[in-house]
């Protein structure tokens, strides 16, 4: 299996990089991190097909639409279709194409497709882990900035007396979406990693608010 992974990693990474564009939150580095996350999960599930997982990790954003695009929920399906076409061109093992396509379709939060295979569960967890922790925080603000959202509410950054609104205030996204991810993880190993990363995000949120309101030096 290691030889097979070594053989396919470069062409998969090259194919993915060609489609990555200039979105800093979904670039080639993101794809490589998702694969690293998946490898950590594969260590707990050696029965999974690692080549299917690797291919889906690198190609899951082959079609990447902005979060405010009306067709955003279709992006993962389109990515799966394109990945199938490109993998066939590369003579990727035909018997694995369906598994790769399903893992790509099911990775997306917006698509709301339940993963039905172990490989798809690994890919979904691995991608969501990159939305948490220090890098997830950086990606959150990058995306929010690209969409013109403010950092935080001027006088109530923790939404203690107002409704949360991550369409207006970037910091709100931690509670609106990111805090829900650990409970949505498919695998025990993914959940444990997600909870540790979320704890760091919540600590940052408290420190940010303290500085924002002038209560910390």
């Amino acid at each position: 299996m290691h030889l097979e992974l070594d053989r396919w990693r470069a062409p998969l990474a090259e194919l993915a990089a060609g489609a990555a564009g200039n979105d800093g939150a979904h670039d080639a580095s993101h794809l490589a991190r998702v694969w690293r996350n998946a490898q950590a999960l594969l260590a707990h599930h050696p029965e999974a097909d690692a080549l299917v997982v690797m291919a889906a990790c690198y190609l899951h954003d082959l079609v990447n639409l902005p979060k405010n695009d009306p067709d955003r929920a279709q992006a993962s399906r389109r990515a799966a279709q394109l990945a199938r076409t490109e993998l066939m061109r590369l003579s990727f093992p035909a018997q694995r194409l369906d598994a790769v396509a399903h893992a790509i379709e099911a990775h997306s939060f917006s698509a709301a497709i339940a993963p039905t295979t172990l490989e798809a569960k690994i890919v979904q967890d691995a991608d969501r882990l990159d939305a948490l922790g220090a890098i997830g925080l950086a990606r959150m603000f990058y995306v929010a900035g690209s969409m013109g959202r403010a950092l935080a509410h001027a006088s109530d950054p923790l939404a203690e007396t107002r409704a949360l609104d991550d369409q207006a205030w970037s910091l709100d996204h931690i509670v609106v979406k990111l805090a829900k991810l650990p409970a949505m993880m498919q695998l025990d190993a993914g959940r444990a990693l997600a909870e540790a990363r979320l704890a760091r995000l919540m600590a940052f949120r408290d420190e940010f608010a303290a500085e924002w309101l002038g209560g910390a030096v």
Side-chain angles (χ1 to χ4, degrees):
M1 176 57 74
H2 289 297
L3 291 176
E4 196 171 32
L5 294 179
D6 290 342
R7 174 193 170 195
W8 280 104
R9 180 171 181 176
L12 289 170
E14 182 178 356
L15 174 59
N22 60 358
D23 180 352
H26 298 87
D27 57 7
S29 294
H30 164 66
L31 304 177
R33 289 193 305 272
V34 172
W35 170 231
R36 286 198 298 271
N37 290 340
Q39 288 174 284
L41 299 176
L42 281 165
H44 296 271
H45 295 279
E47 71 274 24
D49 188 328
L51 181 58
V52 167
V53 172
M54 183 173 74
C57 285
Y58 275 107
L59 304 182
H60 72 277
D61 283 337
L62 211 54
V63 174
N64 180 38
L65 301 177
K67 290 188 179 297
N68 58 353
D69 191 294
D71 292 330
R72 171 73 177 180
Q74 299 299 317
S76 68
R77 293 180 177 88
R78 295 181 188 177
Q81 293 170 356
L82 181 56
R84 186 187 292 273
T85 298
E86 292 298 326
L87 288 173
M88 289 175 64
R89 181 180 61 82
L90 294 174
S91 299
F92 189 83
Q95 69 274 21
R96 286 165 154 139
L97 290 174
D98 287 346
V100 173
H102 172 62
I104 292 173
E105 287 180 337
H107 91 274
S108 170
F109 190 96
S110 302
I113 296 173
T116 60
T117 65
L118 176 57
E119 291 78 15
K121 292 175 181 179
I122 290 172
V123 173
Q124 188 184 93
D125 280 9
D127 183 55
R128 290 180 178 182
L129 281 170
D130 205 46
L132 296 167
I135 291 175
L137 183 66
R139 294 177 71 219
M140 181 189 82
F141 281 118
Y142 177 95
V143 172
S146 71
M147 299 177 75
R149 296 170 184 168
L151 290 177
H153 188 279
S155 60
D156 188 7
L158 298 183
E160 294 175 334
T161 61
R162 63 177 177 84
L164 289 160
D165 181 5
D166 64 345
Q167 299 301 304
W169 319 114
S170 306
L171 193 69
D172 284 14
H173 192 65
I174 293 176
V175 173
V176 170
K177 180 178 178 181
L178 302 185
K180 299 174 182 176
L181 293 182
M184 298 172 68
M185 291 288 166
Q186 300 291 329
L187 305 171
D188 290 342
R191 189 172 301 109
L193 289 170
E195 287 172 350
R197 293 188 182 192
L198 177 60
R200 295 198 291 272
L201 277 185
M202 297 304 289
F204 167 84
R205 180 174 178 264
D206 290 341
E207 185 174 354
F208 179 101
E211 292 186 15
W212 188 259
L213 296 174
V217 178

